[in-house]
Amino acid sequence: VQLQASGGGLVQAGGSLRLSCAVSGRTGSSYALGWFRRAPGKGRERIASITTRGGTTYYADSVKGRFTIARDNAKNTVNLQMMSLKPEDTAVYYCAFTSTNWSARVTWGQGTQVTVSS
């Protein structure tokens, strides 16, 4: 599986950005796609994910109500719509794939920088 992320950039606080991740390769039929981020001086955290079976979504408390994850099956992408951005959202964002669980085997895309200015 290969993942190619795009869409990062610089935005003012309160603004919006949309990240996209193109998924290619053999994924199988049951898997999950997610977005993680690593802020300066902090560890990588899962902020949103979605499963293929049932479309179950997960959001970290820090982004709940502001970020939305969605799959575009026609384009084979997973997107993260980010709204009401805050300076503390500044981080490198990574898309990720797992066919097991997030504590086991994970395939990572390259990171994309999101910077929110105050």
Side-chain angles (χ1 to χ4, degrees):
V1 174
Q2 294 81 43
L3 306 170
Q4 181 71 38
S6 61
L10 173 64
V11 64
Q12 289 188 330
S16 301
L17 274 178
R18 182 172 176 269
L19 304 182
S20 184
C21 180
V23 183
S24 61
R26 291 186 174 182
T27 60
S29 60
S30 179
Y31 56 93
L33 295 166
W35 287 93
F36 289 67
R37 69 184 181 189
R38 188 193 300 273
K42 296 186 178 180
R44 187 155 48 188
E45 66 167 328
R46 179 165 56 115
I47 55 171
S49 60
I50 185 167
T51 62
T52 54
R53 291 194 173 180
T56 302
T57 56
Y58 161 86
Y59 294 97
D61 288 343
S62 57
V63 305
K64 203 171 291 184
R66 300 187 298 121
F67 291 12
T68 302
I69 188 170
R71 294 179 64 219
D72 184 332
N73 292 327
K75 297 181 180 179
N76 214 18
T77 61
V78 59
N79 304 311
L80 185 68
Q81 180 67 48
M82 305 184 293
M83 303 179 68
S84 302
L85 284 161
K86 305 174 182 180
E88 51 263 43
D89 294 318
T90 295
V92 179
Y93 285 70
Y94 300 87
C95 60
F97 164 96
T98 185
S99 59
T100 54
N101 62 73
W102 296 112
S103 299
R105 185 173 180 175
V106 178
T107 300
W108 299 99
Q110 91 288 4
T112 184
Q113 177 71 45
V114 172
T115 303
V116 184
S117 62
S118 57

